Amino acid sequence: MDIIFGRNRKEQLEPVRAKVTGKIPAWLQGTLLRNGPGMHTVGESRYNHWFDGLALLHSFTIRDGEIYYRSKYLRSDTYNANIEANRIVVSEFGTMAYPDPCKNIFSKAFTYLSHTIPDFTDNCLINIMKCGEDFYATSETNYIRKINPQTLETLEKVDYRKYVAVNLATSHPHYDEAGNVLNMGTSIVEKGKTKYVIFKIPATVPEGKKQEKSPWKHTEVFCSIPSRSLLSPSYYHSFGVTENYVIFLEQPFRLDILKMATAYIRRMSWASCLAFHREEKTYIHIIDQRTRQPVQTKFYTDAMVVFHHVNAYEEDGCIVFDVIAYEDNSLYQLFYLANLNQDFKENSRLTSVPTLRRFAVPLHADKNAEVGSNLIKVASTTATALKEEDGQVYCQPEFLYEGLELPRVNYAHNGKRYRYVFAAGVQWSPIPTKESSYQPLSLLIPRSHLFCSFWMPKALQNWPVPPLMSICTWISTDYSSQTWTGTQKSRPLLRNSGTGLLTAMGLLQPDGVEVWTGERSLAVRTPWIHFFG
Ligand SMILES: CC1=C(/C=C/C(C)=C/C=C/C(C)=C/C=O)C(C)(C)CCC1
Ligand SMILES: [Fe+2]
């Protein structure tokens, strides 16, 4: 097991042809880009956590029924500095590193403290984001790296802070129909003013402003929400959108800024500055995209930890949103490399199972409603929202499905009522093999519709990304017209298991017929009964 998780991966610079089983439909053309950790050891030094590994970019180019794979390490400043020093010299999520052991550690720490928080890593290993025609490798710090989607070469480093006051930003932005990016970040620098910032990066330079060529310069703040706790803002990995609203969960899984400021001298990692406060509430912020203001009512639910929002929509004056939620933060604990060994089964007793939960939030709370009454009257959920004496609204979810992660929806249905969630069934095992890592839910996947699956050459099997890292799949084929041929309205959904097998390929066709392939992913049908074509 250690072999799968700890071993450094070799780049595959020349495209290599994959062996295809079945038949890839002629219309399926484009490139699937993937990101994830590929190197956990540099010289004699080793990262502590799976999320620390140096970013390895992957691409699957699908053309005329054939698939070509290639991979390349992101040449981040972090990568270059590490390789040059032949050891880890930049801190990551679970590993604190010391650039120069000869220098007086306290003078260094002092420099850091005077800036409150040290400069973060640009090892962008989590996802790929598209801004206009450009592609960026992303992490959750203020840095992202532009990449060439064809050659996987690393291009310029972009510092979010130049355009918007955020020190952290999510790796799961949203896109509107014009391709504008909507993302969120946290501003922790201005002491006493810790806030969450929702911002928009335009896909192209707005009309009449052509003198400033970079769309980045036109990034605008959509809305800022002050953090409940100024020294301890919430950690979040994604957020939700509907046609008119943004959903942000201020969960009691929080970063401690004072701990972060002293982490370097205390020789503690960033991860150790995160804590789950199970006795606290999770606040649900709803932001109206038209007024760019938060809805005034205070909505909350019980303590939980959410990494992935699935989808959200508006129905009869309510916001319905679906998330994968945990009872605690044991997921991050699980991915310490020290736990990913022979005793994985013992080590990985997750104290909570990822569960698909549906929440409903009433937008116009009835002033005459009795205290204690349920304000939700929509058909598509049994979730409740109880009116409280002080005007707050306590939301309780409907549990839709237990044991799944890495959710995706057909993005054409994002923000709208929808029927299917594509996800990996979670069975806790680190070996991405047929038997153990994904549980085929044949009941939900009509096998008769299987039309193809394909394997990478043997040498490439077992490569880098274990089941949970397929979290951040991003698809470049379907939404951009240049790379997309065939029926425009058909949307392929691809997932890659990390073993070299592209697992699910679902096709949502305009007439509502779904075609599937892949045995290891599952599709959960949401309780919505009509098909949205
Ligand atoms: C470096 C760094 C961070 C890195 C976080 C990472 C790398 C998170 C990865 C999360 C994933 C992959 C979640 C999947 O569900 C923090 C904590 C934001 C803040 C301080 C600096
Ligand atoms: Fe993710």
Side-chain angles (χ1 to χ4, degrees):
M1 275 173 221
D2 198 40
I3 296 174
I4 289 176
F5 278 93
R7 203 177 53 193
N8 291 346
R9 308 295 147 171
K10 274 213 183 86
E11 295 174 316
Q12 175 64 47
L13 298 175
E14 285 308 310
V16 48
R17 196 160 103 202
K19 181 171 167 248
V20 175
T21 312
K23 196 170 179 303
I24 293 162
W27 51 261
L28 188 57
Q29 312 259 350
T31 300
L32 168 67
L33 291 173
R34 295 291 321 279
N35 199 352
M39 193 190 286
H40 285 93
T41 310
V42 185
E44 298 291 297
S45 58
R46 193 171 159 77
Y47 288 118
N48 298 324
H49 199 276
W50 182 253
F51 297 168
D52 297 344
L54 293 170
L56 182 58
L57 302 163
H58 312 266
S59 75
F60 297 85
T61 301
I62 306 171
R63 200 188 312 120
D64 303 329
E66 289 186 341
I67 301 186
Y68 293 85
Y69 169 77
R70 56 159 76 180
S71 66
K72 195 170 170 66
Y73 277 103
L74 182 79
R75 297 308 198 264
S76 56
D77 292 355
T78 297
Y79 176 96
N80 292 335
N82 285 348
I83 298 297
E84 196 184 313
N86 195 32
R87 67 184 183 89
I88 296 163
V89 289
V90 182
S91 303
E92 299 292 340
F93 174 71
T95 306
M96 192 50 94
Y98 296 86
D100 189 347
C102 308
K103 261 203 184 149
N104 179 332
I105 162 174
F106 288 104
S107 73
K108 194 81 191 168
F110 180 76
T111 320
Y112 279 178
L113 271 171
S114 62
H115 289 96
T116 316
I117 302 291
D119 201 15
F120 287 136
T121 179
D122 68 339
N123 173 32
C124 302
L125 80 158
I126 307 185
N127 204 1
I128 310 279
M129 167 167 99
K130 192 176 181 212
C131 295
E133 291 310 306
D134 299 329
F135 292 82
Y136 293 86
T138 63
S139 178
E140 294 187 351
T141 69
N142 54 299
Y143 293 119
I144 59 174
R145 290 301 304 231
K146 192 166 164 181
I147 57 158
N148 178 324
Q150 265 84 44
T151 61
L152 301 184
E153 263 158 357
T154 305
L155 305 170
E156 59 267 28
K157 177 170 168 177
V158 171
D159 184 349
Y160 272 124
R161 292 174 303 179
K162 276 196 182 160
Y163 310 104
V164 54
V166 292
N167 306 84
L168 307 168
T170 87
S171 245
H172 289 294
H174 282 284
Y175 303 89
D176 65 16
E177 270 167 22
N180 302 311
V181 178
L182 192 68
N183 202 1
M184 272 198 76
T186 306
S187 171
I188 51 179
V189 276
E190 290 171 75
K191 282 173 242 94
K193 283 197 193 147
T194 311
K195 59 188 177 195
Y196 310 103
V197 184
I198 301 173
F199 57 94
K200 198 171 206 165
I201 312 159
T204 50
V205 175
E207 269 315 308
K209 295 188 177 166
K210 298 276 183 215
Q211 64 278 22
E212 193 45 83
K213 288 201 176 64
S214 161
W216 282 97
K217 293 255 163 95
H218 301 279
T219 301
E220 49 175 350
V221 172
F222 214 71
C223 177
S224 312
I225 300 162
S227 168
R228 283 194 80 80
S229 160
L230 296 179
L231 288 173
S232 196
S234 244
Y235 169 83
Y236 51 98
H237 181 72
S238 64
F239 60 102
V241 293
T242 67
E243 284 175 323
N244 297 300
Y245 295 88
V246 172
I247 299 120
F248 164 55
L249 294 178
E250 191 174 17
Q251 55 190 2
F253 181 34
R254 300 197 265 113
L255 276 164
D256 185 322
I257 298 181
L258 291 182
K259 277 194 177 163
M260 285 177 88
T262 54
Y264 188 86
I265 7 173
R266 294 182 302 110
R267 297 193 160 260
M268 299 299 280
S269 68
W270 303 133
S272 74
C273 305
L274 271 166
F276 178 58
H277 304 265
R278 64 180 69 244
E279 68 295 346
E280 292 180 14
K281 297 172 179 172
T282 298
Y283 291 92
I284 304 168
H285 297 276
I286 307 288
I287 298 95
D288 191 328
Q289 295 195 41
R290 295 154 300 188
T291 59
R292 301 187 169 195
Q293 294 296 321
V295 170
Q296 284 310 306
T297 317
K298 285 209 161 51
F299 303 107
Y300 74 93
T301 184
D302 299 321
M304 61 177 179
V305 174
V306 166
F307 299 104
H308 294 112
H309 280 252
V310 179
N311 200 359
Y313 57 88
E314 294 158 35
E315 186 181 359
D316 292 342
C318 286
I319 302 272
V320 179
F321 66 92
D322 298 343
V323 294
I324 309 284
Y326 296 77
E327 298 296 329
D328 58 34
N329 63 333
S330 55
L331 179 78
Y332 276 8
Q333 224 48 41
L334 185 77
F335 280 92
Y336 278 99
L337 291 172
N339 292 336
L340 300 171
N341 54 24
Q342 305 304 327
D343 305 321
F344 181 84
K345 274 219 159 82
E346 284 311 305
N347 297 337
S348 66
R349 297 251 173 271
L350 266 190
T351 36
S352 79
V353 178
T355 311
L356 175 60
R357 297 181 199 177
R358 171 160 291 181
F359 287 88
V361 169
L363 284 169
H364 316 285
D366 177 1
K367 294 226 163 45
N368 303 319
E370 272 178 43
V371 168
S373 66
N374 178 15
L375 304 171
I376 304 298
K377 308 264 179 304
V378 295
S380 63
T381 183
T382 57
T384 57
L386 306 180
K387 186 174 167 175
E388 295 194 332
E389 225 156 333
D390 55 3
Q392 295 199 21
V393 177
Y394 171 47
C395 302
Q396 280 178 307
E398 174 184 359
F399 287 76
L400 295 183
Y401 198 87
E402 201 171 81
L404 79 170
E405 247 296 5
L406 333 175
R408 287 201 64 80
V409 298
N410 176 353
Y411 206 74
H413 297 258
N414 196 60
K416 302 179 191 133
R417 284 188 283 195
Y418 70 113
R419 248 175 122 193
Y420 291 99
V421 176
F422 302 82
V426 172
Q427 206 187 29
W428 295 109
S429 166
I431 310 180
T433 63
K434 237 183 191 146
E435 294 71 33
S436 56
S437 39
Y438 293 94
Q439 224 174 356
L441 287 185
S442 35
L443 264 182
L444 293 161
I445 306 175
R447 294 286 180 97
S448 56
H449 285 150
L450 292 191
F451 68 98
C452 75
S453 69
F454 49 87
W455 287 93
M456 298 309 297
K458 197 130 196 96
L460 289 174
Q461 284 180 23
N462 268 353
W463 71 227
V465 198
L468 269 169
M469 290 315 288
S470 57
I471 286 171
C472 301
T473 308
W474 194 83
I475 301 157
S476 68
T477 27
D478 48 353
Y479 311 117
S480 61
S481 45
Q482 291 96 318
T483 48
W484 181 242
T485 58
T487 328
Q488 286 295 322
K489 279 189 179 157
S490 302
R491 306 275 173 181
L493 286 142
L494 306 174
R495 178 172 288 293
N496 170 258
S497 72
T499 56
L501 176 71
L502 268 186
T503 52
M505 291 177 78
L507 169 63
L508 295 192
Q509 293 179 339
D511 59 1
V513 179
E514 295 84 28
V515 187
W516 308 94
T517 183
E519 296 167 79
R520 301 178 199 177
S521 296
L522 60 91
V524 176
R525 220 181 130 137
T526 70
W528 176 250
I529 41 166
H530 303 295
F531 184 79
F532 305 92

